[in-house]
């Protein structure tokens, strides 16, 4: 095959690049394997820039864990508190207390940092703000 790679800056070029990867997939030639790897990286870079991944919300994560473990809202009461608190947490209206994080961590064997909101970097006050 020829030695071209497709630089991707549109969905049409993305489709062409994917078709090229499909053709290169069957080759055993070292040059084609190198092209395949490079083109796959270009595809991944385009997709990451066009559709960036965002972490799931805490409520989404808890609903997923409940689904994976076959749990109901009633099963979450010992972990999250009252039925109304379970509802508020699953709707994203209330955050988790440290006690809830510890109980979720113990129940599902997951790292606590998955359940904690991301820390915002503390910014230093400007001279105007200090004055």
């Amino acid at each position: 095959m020829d030695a071209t790679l497709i630089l991707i800056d549109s969905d049409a070029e993305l489709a062409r690049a994917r078709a090229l990867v499909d053709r290169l997939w069957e080759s055993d030639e070292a040059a084609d394997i190198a092209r395949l790897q490079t083109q796959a990286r270009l595809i991944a870079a385009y997709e990451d820039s066009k559709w960036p991944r965002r972490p799931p919300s805490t409520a989404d994560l808890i609903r997923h864990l409940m689904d994976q473990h076959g749990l109901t809202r009633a099963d979450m009461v010992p972990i999250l508190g009252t039925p109304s608190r379970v509802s508020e947490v699953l709707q994203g209206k209330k955050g988790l207390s440290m006690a809830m994080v510890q109980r979720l961590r113990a129940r599902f064997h997951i790292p606590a940092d998955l359940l904690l909101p991301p820390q915002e970097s503390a910014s230093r006050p400007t001279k105007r703000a200090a004055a």
Side-chain angles (χ1 to χ4, degrees), residues 20-65:
L20 175 60
V21 165
D22 288 342
R23 285 194 311 272
L24 292 171
W25 194 261
E26 301 301 322
S27 178
D28 291 331
E29 294 181 32
D32 287 343
I33 292 169
R35 277 183 64 212
L36 169 68
Q37 292 171 338
T38 304
Q39 191 66 62
R41 286 187 189 113
L42 290 171
I43 290 170
Y46 176 78
E47 289 175 344
D48 287 346
S49 69
K50 182 153 182 167
W51 302 290
R53 294 184 186 120
R54 61 179 175 81
S57 70
T58 302
D60 289 338
L61 175 62
I62 293 171
R63 281 192 297 273
H64 174 76
L65 291 167

Side-chain angles (χ1 to χ4, degrees), residues 41-94:
R41 286 187 189 113
L42 290 171
I43 290 170
Y46 176 78
E47 289 175 344
D48 287 346
S49 69
K50 182 153 182 167
W51 302 290
R53 294 184 186 120
R54 61 179 175 81
S57 70
T58 302
D60 289 338
L61 175 62
I62 293 171
R63 281 192 297 273
H64 174 76
L65 291 167
M66 289 171 62
D67 181 57
Q68 293 299 305
H69 292 265
L71 300 176
T72 65
R73 287 175 176 244
D75 297 325
M76 298 303 291
V77 170
I79 298 170
L80 299 178
T82 65
S84 62
R85 181 59 57 147
V86 171
S87 180
E88 291 170 339
V89 168
L90 293 178
Q91 290 175 15
K93 293 180 180 178
K94 292 284 184 182

